[in-house]
């Protein structure tokens, strides 16, 4: 990162900034903080970086271009191609953590975050036993005295960690969400969430219903149709906006970047014109054009579906759009139009929950849908030093926005903490965090 030493002096920072989650958002934030001389410790509940990406289906590629998906301080190799595969994303994240020499702690889950009371010293957990050791005499908090700017993180193993700030980057796709359809538990066929889908091989010759026509549902339906499923139906509740991933070499992501600050009605009109010119009308196949504008839908949390074969599969009859799922009845699925089907397998591509309630729900930082009320460098007045990244899915590209968020968070925290950036020796050990750093590539 320009103008900043590669190995800043962080040896005088016994209390780091804790970054929760070793996905792209967390790694980017930690690298940006480190580059500005701020000690950041990434805490990850699984054993690896990029665990969410490792669990996605085999054919997944980024819908954003390689050049616009790089995180701060490391370009994606040209050999990855324009649309980067899942496996290459994982490899990139591993290399990213190694290159930036990130302090990474795996196998530790942070379960609750709270403001630290004003004290001269705080208690930290023993690294392995969970027993607390006192780092100094602890004074009682005076009645009515406000909380400090420090944060306490309650973690697995009885650990209590103290950080100068916290960046929450636990991921957009955290906990699978499956609707509580009537009769679901008694369904006689096989029901699974899209997170458990890997490839079409186990479904060859089977009748499969995919529920949900977001990017995941659309791509899984195409994968099944191309992979030998006997029949593939796609349950649609609300007709999606479908866009070409690239038109004449111009990626849809660049259009998303250009229009992001424009008025919603204007972008809606532009979207309709582009759709009529580039996407055929699929109404005759059960997939009509949406009635709500593209950017209006983005504001409601619905990202356009990037075409990776859905249009051709629908026109060829290899993917059949049907009505939304209403309920289950024995071995049958009852659709919203009253029709009944009996697929062998139902794959619910019905999204994820952020699942932040247990972690920060008590801090009044979430909206009514459980999403952070702020993101990037912005914090709420009653929660200074608590940052969120990676919890939105903008049309300009999630990786790009996480990279921008990381730089903004680091800039704000460097100013707030007054941290210098004098160089330190590469071999000089950092202070103990109370946790055991783990080599992400071991």
């Amino acid at each position: 990162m320009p103008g900043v030493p590669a190995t800043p002096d962080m040896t005088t920072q016994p209390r780091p900034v804790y970054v929760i989650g070793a996905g792209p958002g967390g790694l980017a934030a930690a690298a940006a903080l480190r580059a500005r001389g701020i000690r950041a410790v990434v805490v990850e509940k699984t054993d690896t970086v990029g665990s969410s990406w490792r669990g996605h289906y085999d054919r997944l590629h980024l819908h954003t271009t390689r050049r616009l998906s790089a995180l701060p301080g490391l370009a994606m190799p040209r050999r990855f191609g324009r649309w980067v595969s899942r496996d290459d994303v994982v490899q990139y994240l591993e290399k990213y953590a190694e290159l930036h020499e990130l302090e990474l702690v795996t196998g530790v889950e942070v379960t609750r975050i709270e403001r630290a009371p004003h004290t001269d010293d705080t208690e930290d957990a023993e690294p392995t036993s969970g027993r607390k050791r006192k780092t100094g005499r602890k004074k009682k908090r005076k009645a009515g005295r406000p909380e400090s700017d420090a944060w306490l993180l309650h973690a697995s193993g009885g650990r209590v960690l103290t950080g100068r700030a916290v960046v929450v980057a636990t991921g957009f796709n955290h906990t699978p969400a499956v609707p509580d359809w009537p009769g679901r538990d008694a369904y006689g066929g096989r029901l699974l969430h899209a997170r458990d889908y890997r490839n079409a091989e186990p479904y060859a010759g089977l009748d499969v219903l995919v529920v949900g026509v977001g990017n995941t549902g659309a791509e899984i339906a195409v994968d099944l149709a191309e992979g030998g499923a006997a029949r593939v139906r796609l349950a649609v509740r609300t007709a999606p906006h479908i866009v070409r991933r690239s038109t004449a070499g111009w990626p849809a992501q660049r259009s998303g970047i250009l229009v992001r600050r424009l008025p919603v009605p204007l972008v809606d009109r532009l979207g309709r014109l582009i759709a009529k010119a580039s996407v055929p009308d699929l109404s005759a196949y059960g997939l009509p054009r949406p009635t709500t504008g593209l950017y209006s839908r983005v504001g409601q949390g619905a990202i356009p579906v990037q075409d990776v074969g859905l249009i051709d599969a629908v026109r060829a009859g290899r993917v059949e759009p049907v009505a939304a799922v209403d309920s289950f009845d024995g071995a049958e699925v009852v659709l919203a139009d009253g029709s009944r089907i009996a697929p062998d397998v139902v794959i619910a591509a019905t999204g994820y929950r952020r699942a932040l309630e247990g972690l920060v729900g008590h801090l009044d930082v979430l909206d009514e849908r459980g999403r952070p009320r702020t993101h990037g460098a912005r914090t709420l007045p009653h929660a200074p030093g608590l940052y969120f990244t990676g919890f939105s899915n903008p049309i300009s590209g999630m990786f790009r926005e996480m990279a921008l968020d990381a730089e903004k968070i680091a800039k704000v925290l460097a100013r707030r903490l007054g941290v210098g950036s004098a160089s330190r020796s590469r071999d000089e050990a950092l202070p103990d965090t109370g946790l055991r750093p783990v080599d992400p590539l071991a």
Side-chain angles (χ1 to χ4, degrees):
M1 297 171 195
V4 181
T7 53
D9 182 7
M10 292 172 279
T11 60
T12 60
Q13 300 178 30
R15 291 182 185 171
V17 172
Y18 280 103
V19 179
I20 307 175
L27 298 180
L33 288 165
R34 179 178 173 82
R36 288 186 176 271
I38 302 170
R39 187 179 175 214
V41 176
V42 182
V43 184
E44 165 61 38
K45 70 176 182 179
T46 70
D47 294 330
T48 59
V49 302
S51 62
S52 177
W53 273 90
R54 295 173 192 272
H56 288 314
Y57 48 94
D58 294 349
R59 73 175 279 160
L60 177 65
H61 286 66
L62 288 177
H63 290 160
T64 54
T65 65
R66 180 192 74 252
R67 295 184 64 184
L68 293 175
S69 300
L71 302 179
L74 181 63
M76 288 188 171
R78 292 187 63 182
R79 61 184 173 81
F80 284 179
R82 195 180 199 193
W83 313 106
V84 183
S85 72
R86 178 203 64 185
D87 290 346
D88 285 339
V89 168
V90 171
Q91 181 183 346
Y92 173 76
L93 295 179
E94 291 174 340
K95 182 64 178 178
Y96 191 85
E98 178 188 33
L99 177 71
H100 289 289
E101 299 180 324
L102 300 183
E103 282 193 83
L104 177 65
V105 178
T106 62
V108 174
E109 181 177 9
V110 177
T111 56
R112 183 179 174 89
I113 302 171
E114 60 187 19
R115 294 283 295 278
H118 266 296
T119 60
D120 287 345
D121 294 281
T122 58
E123 296 178 345
D124 289 322
E126 290 288 347
T128 56
S129 68
R131 298 191 305 272
K132 294 181 180 179
R133 67 176 186 272
K134 292 189 176 180
T135 56
R137 182 171 297 176
K138 186 174 180 180
K139 294 183 178 181
K140 292 183 179 180
R141 178 184 174 190
K142 293 182 179 180
R145 191 175 184 186
E147 294 165 305
S148 72
D149 284 347
W151 291 89
L152 296 180
L153 288 74
H154 298 268
S156 55
R159 301 172 177 87
V160 181
L161 313 171
T162 305
R164 297 191 292 174
V166 180
V167 180
V168 180
T170 50
F172 189 82
N173 296 334
H174 187 276
T175 301
V178 179
D180 188 19
W181 291 297
R184 185 190 73 181
D185 294 340
Y187 174 54
R190 183 184 176 196
L191 171 64
L192 66 149
H193 189 270
R195 185 185 66 171
D196 300 316
Y197 177 87
R198 291 294 174 269
N199 55 60
E201 183 177 351
Y203 310 97
L206 299 181
D207 183 338
V208 185
L209 172 67
V210 180
V211 184
V213 70
N215 278 292
T216 297
E219 190 158 3
I220 287 177
V222 172
D223 194 42
L224 288 163
E226 294 176 352
R231 186 174 189 179
V232 180
R233 284 174 281 205
L234 182 60
V236 180
R237 182 172 299 280
T238 304
H241 285 275
I242 302 175
V243 298
R244 299 288 189 183
R245 188 166 63 175
S246 179
T247 303
W250 179 264
Q253 180 189 8
R254 287 198 177 275
S255 297
I257 294 171
L258 290 175
V259 306
R260 196 172 180 201
R261 305 300 179 188
L262 296 178
V264 172
L266 175 60
V267 181
D268 283 348
R269 288 196 294 272
L270 290 173
R272 281 192 291 270
L273 292 174
I274 293 172
K276 288 182 180 180
S278 62
V279 178
D281 187 356
L282 301 175
S283 299
Y285 303 94
L287 202 58
R289 294 192 187 277
T291 56
T292 307
L294 183 150
Y295 210 24
S296 295
R297 290 286 301 281
V298 170
Q300 300 167 5
I303 299 299
V305 172
Q306 301 224 17
D307 179 44
V308 290
L310 180 65
I311 293 173
D312 290 342
V314 168
R315 296 177 78 179
R318 291 182 286 116
V319 172
E320 308 169 43
V322 296
V325 171
D326 181 71
S327 62
F328 289 81
D329 184 9
E332 293 185 321
V333 179
V334 183
L335 304 180
D337 60 5
S339 61
R340 291 170 174 259
I341 59 177
D344 300 306
V345 182
V346 177
I347 300 174
T350 45
Y352 295 79
R353 294 186 295 107
R354 312 294 86 82
L356 291 168
E357 290 79 6
L359 189 67
V360 296
H362 55 288
L363 297 173
D364 191 27
V365 294
L366 304 179
D367 64 17
E368 65 281 355
R369 296 173 61 182
R371 303 172 302 181
R373 291 164 53 190
T374 60
H375 75 277
R378 294 185 297 115
T379 62
L380 293 169
H382 64 276
L386 180 62
Y387 301 88
F388 296 89
T389 183
F391 292 97
S392 62
N393 192 14
I395 59 175
S396 50
M398 184 181 289
F399 270 58
R400 178 180 181 273
E401 293 303 319
M402 287 189 292
L404 295 174
D405 279 354
E407 298 281 19
K408 293 174 183 176
I409 291 170
K411 182 178 180 180
V412 166
L413 269 175
R415 184 168 61 245
R416 174 172 173 262
L417 300 176
V419 176
S421 57
S423 298
R424 68 171 177 86
S425 167
R426 176 179 292 271
D427 298 325
E428 188 173 356
L430 290 169
D432 183 26
T433 63
L435 296 170
R436 182 173 62 85
V438 176
D439 181 356
L441 302 179

